[in-house]
Amino acid sequence: MPSEAVSLALAASIYPPAVATVIALGRGPDVRLRVFLLVAAAFLTVLITGALMLFLFEELGTTSRQQRTVSSALYLLGGVVLLWLASRLRHPAVLEPKKQAGPTRTDRYLQSRRLVLLLGVILYIVPSPIYVGLVKSIADTQASTPQQLIYLVEALLIMLWMIEIPMLMLLTYPVGASSALQSINRWFARNGRSVGTLVAAAAGAYLIGVGLVELL
């Protein structure tokens, strides 16, 4: 797998909403099954969208010049979007919604296995600019289609570590894992915006740099 794909997979892995969802699933009955369904749905969603993008990039790259133009445009666009996102994250909303006491509506919804599957799809159905750059870096290897799919699966295992590791913790030791994950979630609640800003800014600058190199 190209080192560029590894770097982008690590950047794309920072996704606090997914961690919060896994933690919410750690409460209630059928913890192991519901957590497994969420991770399976998320993995299949990003695998399918990634495979479709690989096919699209292959179709667009009809000549070397066209391929460089498409690559640079995608990288530059993704970088600009990420820098814009970083600037937005630096300015938190003035009014914060009040937290509800007791189980939330989301907690109640997560008791349904079908809704858990749907949530796994919804969380990852829209590819982030970082993920698009990741898939493009795999397409640029010009490897065979089976090899590119293997690279994609490897990248996804890295990208989804923030829900894969909590899943393994909850599958093996649900009671202790739930308490530990609650502490992690509180840390993300305090620092998630700062982490997201840094990741978005760094990934955006990286994608713009790659796009300029491709263009020149």
Side-chain angles (χ1 to χ4, degrees), residues 50-131:
L52 290 175
M53 284 191 288
L54 281 175
F55 174 78
L56 178 62
F57 291 145
E58 182 179 355
E59 291 298 311
L60 291 175
T62 54
T63 68
S64 59
R65 178 58 185 170
Q66 288 175 330
Q67 188 176 22
R68 287 196 300 272
T69 302
V70 171
S71 297
S72 60
L74 287 172
Y75 283 129
L76 290 172
L77 177 61
V80 170
V81 171
L82 286 171
L83 290 180
W84 173 83
L85 177 61
S87 68
R88 297 291 296 176
L89 288 173
R90 287 188 59 194
H91 303 89
V94 176
L95 296 177
E96 296 290 341
K98 295 182 179 179
K99 296 183 179 180
Q100 296 180 342
T104 65
R105 180 179 298 179
T106 301
D107 290 332
R108 295 192 294 271
Y109 285 167
L110 291 178
Q111 304 304 314
S112 168
R113 299 173 185 176
R114 286 179 293 181
L115 290 178
V116 167
L117 282 170
L118 180 61
L119 183 60
V121 174
I122 292 173
L123 282 172
Y124 288 94
I125 190 63
V126 179
S128 68
I130 303 177
Y131 184 47

Side-chain angles (χ1 to χ4, degrees), residues 2 27 31 43 59 61 67 70 73 78 113 121 130 139 141 156 165 178 186 190 203:
R27 300 187 289 267
V31 171
F43 188 89
E59 291 298 311
Q67 188 176 22
V70 171
R113 299 173 185 176
V121 174
I130 303 177
T141 62
L156 295 184
I165 292 179
S178 180
R186 286 192 291 270
R190 295 191 301 269

